[in-house]
């Protein structure tokens, strides 16, 4: 079965042609488009942990399909184990994949759903391997459809300001972070497609430079007019250009009250948006909403190594021109300096204008400082 999903966008970060999974190595972007094979759950775990693939929706899909590739690669061996042993193996591998990125609620949502699929197959006497692979493939297709709906709903919400529109985004939330189209960048892609987008600004997104490396790459490929700004320049930009109507970001996890964990730097953007009277919009599939999490106080924030802040890595400029890429590292801070490097921060719901999902746009009740996402999702 082939699920390349060519219509989703010009970029494909995930390629699945049963039984092969290939992903775009995002550590080499934007200077080289190289696909790497993911044949086992260990390969999937490593790709997620090292950020060869990233973005909450994409992480869940890559994890699910990496195990599907492993099961199909040893189909006869796993089938010969017997249904109960095969189900136990799948659950063990899923638990292992869950350790690759503890913040991504999409990953744990996918794991929970896939375990339920295996349990039902076991109870009904159907092949647990076949059931698992079919479910993983269905997740891939559903992610693209959900992202296209997010793009449509979000574009319509922003268009109420009247065009042409300027917006700003943070990190990378497009086709590279999902199965296709994107969440926050999907909204921008939809605005561009409708002719309502005049310009998009995007942050470099220190310290890992997802904006500079990845969002820039997507916008260039799509032909969307864009300008990169330093993370620390956003407030000055909003003050100097009142025509920027909204900041649109993605999410790794959204609590029941709307508190949102996203790439570090998101919180300060929300503060800047509130001060300057601009919309601050979170775009995320409902799988990113954790209804068991009452507020952002309970969200565990991953802390990464100090060297990501102290040392700047990339490719030597002359090697990019020559086409023979050579990775280089430059130490910015003196030896002995320590750095704090949280991968995410939590933006309080009070600072968020709307949460855009594949089911529609959720806003707070008049006068409320928090969302009631449980009630919104039940409607």
């Amino acid at each position: 079965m082939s699920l390349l999903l060519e219509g989703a966008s010009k970029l494909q970060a995930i390629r699945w042609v049963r039984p092969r999974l290939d992903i775009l190595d995002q550590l080499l972007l934007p200077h080289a488009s190289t696909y790497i094979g993911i044949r086992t759950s260990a390969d999937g775990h490593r790709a997620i942990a090292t950020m060869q693939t990233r973005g909450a929706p994409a992480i869940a899909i890559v994890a699910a399909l990496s195990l599907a590739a492993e099961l199909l690669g040893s189909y006869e061996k796993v089938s010969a184990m017997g249904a109960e042993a095969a189900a136990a193996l799948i659950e063990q591998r899923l638990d292992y994949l869950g350790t690759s990125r503890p913040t991504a609620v999409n990953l744990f949502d996918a794991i929970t759903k896939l375990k339920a699929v295996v349990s039902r197959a076991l109870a009904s006497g159907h092949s647990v391997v076949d059931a698992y692979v079919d479910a993983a493939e269905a997740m891939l297709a559903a992610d693209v459809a959900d992202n296209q709906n997010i793009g449509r709903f979000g574009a319509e919400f922003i268009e109420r300001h009247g065009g042409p529109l300027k917006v700003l985004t943070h990190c990378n939330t497009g086709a590279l972070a999902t199965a296709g189209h994107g969440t926050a960048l999907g909204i921008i892609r939809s605005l561009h497609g409708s002719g309502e987008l005049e310009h998009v600004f995007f942050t470099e997104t220190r310290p890992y430079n997802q904006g500079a490396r990845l969002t820039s790459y997507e916008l260039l490929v799509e032909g969307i007019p864009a300008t990169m700004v330093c993370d620390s320049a956003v407030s000055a930009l909003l003050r100097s250009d009142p025509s920027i109507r909204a900041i649109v970001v993605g999410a790794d996890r959204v609590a029941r009250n709307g508190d949102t964990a996203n790439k570090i730097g998101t919180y300060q953007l929300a503060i800047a948006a509130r001060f300057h009277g601009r919309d601050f919009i979170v775009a995320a599939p409902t799988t990113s909403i954790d209804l068991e999490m009452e507020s952002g106080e309970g969200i565990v924030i991953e802390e990464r190594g100090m060297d990501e802040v102290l040392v700047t890595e990339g490719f030597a400029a002359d090697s990019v021109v020559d086409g023979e890429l050579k990775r280089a590292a430059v130490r910015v801070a003196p030896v002995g300096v320590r750095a704090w490097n949280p991968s995410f921060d939590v933006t309080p719901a009070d600072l968020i204008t709307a949460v855009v999902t594949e089911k529609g746009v959720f806003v707070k009740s008049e006068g409320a400082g928090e969302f009631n996402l449980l009630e919104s999702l039940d409607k």
Side-chain angles (χ1 to χ4, degrees):
M1 182 177 184
S2 173
L3 281 173
L4 295 179
L5 302 169
E6 297 295 343
S9 65
K10 294 179 181 178
L11 289 172
Q12 289 294 319
I14 302 170
R15 289 180 174 175
W16 171 256
V17 182
R18 188 188 287 197
R20 292 180 57 89
L21 172 63
D22 297 293
I23 64 168
L24 192 61
D25 186 349
Q26 298 190 28
L27 296 179
L28 299 179
L29 292 177
H31 304 301
S33 299
T34 302
Y35 285 87
I36 56 175
I38 304 294
R39 303 295 175 254
T40 66
S41 55
D43 291 341
H45 187 286
R46 181 169 54 254
I48 295 167
T50 62
M51 297 184 75
Q52 287 178 301
T53 190
R54 22 75 50 211
I59 285 169
I61 299 299
V62 169
L65 289 176
S66 70
L67 180 51
E70 178 178 333
L71 293 171
L72 290 171
S74 55
Y75 187 86
E76 292 184 2
K77 179 180 178 181
V78 175
S79 298
M81 295 170 61
E84 290 191 4
L89 174 68
I90 291 171
E91 290 208 7
Q92 183 269 326
R93 294 287 197 271
L94 287 172
D95 288 340
Y96 166 66
L97 285 163
T99 66
S100 62
R101 181 59 60 83
T103 314
V105 68
N106 304 60
L107 174 59
F108 293 97
D109 179 78
I111 288 171
T112 299
K113 289 176 178 175
L114 290 167
K115 284 184 176 181
V117 166
V118 170
S119 295
R120 288 195 297 269
L122 186 62
S124 64
H126 292 109
S127 167
V128 294
V129 174
D130 291 343
Y132 177 90
V133 173
D134 289 345
E137 289 179 335
M139 286 181 173
L140 174 62
D143 186 63
V144 174
D146 288 348
N147 291 333
Q148 290 171 335
N149 284 329
I150 289 170
R152 176 169 57 88
F153 288 131
E156 290 171 354
F157 184 75
I158 296 174
E159 285 169 359
R160 77 192 193 283
H161 291 294
L165 297 159
K166 295 180 184 178
V167 298
L168 182 142
T169 192
H170 184 57
C171 198
N172 175 257
T173 56
L176 296 174
T178 64
H181 197 70
T183 54
L185 201 54
I187 293 174
I188 291 168
R189 183 176 276 113
S190 295
L191 283 170
H192 177 65
S194 68
E196 294 297 320
L197 181 69
E198 178 181 345
H199 204 84
V200 56
F201 295 90
F202 64 98
T203 62
E204 58 182 344
T205 320
R206 287 278 297 149
Y208 220 68
N209 293 313
Q210 290 97 328
R213 292 187 298 108
L214 306 178
T215 298
S216 61
Y217 178 77
E218 288 207 44
L219 293 171
L220 280 173
V221 170
E222 298 286 350
I224 298 175
T227 300
M228 185 173 75
V229 298
C230 296
D231 295 1
S232 53
V234 171
S235 290
L237 175 66
L238 293 178
R239 184 173 184 177
S240 67
D241 192 346
S243 63
I244 299 172
R245 294 308 314 150
I247 296 178
V248 190
V249 301
D252 262 58
R253 180 173 297 205
V254 181
R256 189 167 69 235
N257 72 340
D259 290 350
T260 297
N262 192 49
K263 184 55 56 186
I264 190 70
T266 302
Y267 182 15
Q268 64 192 24
L269 295 181
I271 294 171
R274 169 63 61 84
F275 182 82
H276 291 92
R278 316 300 166 83
D279 286 348
F280 189 83
I281 299 168
V282 172
T286 53
T287 52
S288 292
I289 299 175
D290 188 351
L291 295 177
E292 299 299 317
M293 186 73 66
E294 182 177 354
S295 73
E297 294 294 326
I299 298 176
V300 177
I301 300 299
E302 175 189 3
E303 292 191 19
R304 296 181 66 85
M306 291 189 291
D307 278 352
E308 287 183 0
V309 177
L310 302 173
V311 177
T312 296
E313 291 192 14
F315 296 100
D318 56 352
S319 76
V320 174
V321 175
D322 295 341
E324 298 289 335
L325 293 179
K326 295 179 181 178
R327 189 173 291 278
V330 177
R331 187 172 183 90
V332 179
V335 174
V337 169
R338 297 184 60 79
W340 181 50
N341 186 22
S343 193
F344 306 92
D345 56 29
V346 177
T347 299
D350 183 57
L351 297 175
I352 298 171
T353 308
V355 177
V356 181
T357 76
E358 76 278 10
K359 296 184 177 181
V361 180
F362 302 146
V363 296
K364 290 166 284 192
S365 300
E366 187 174 355
E370 297 182 338
F371 294 81
N372 186 341
L373 293 177
L374 179 60
E375 180 180 290
S376 298
L377 289 170
D378 282 342
K379 290 181 180 179

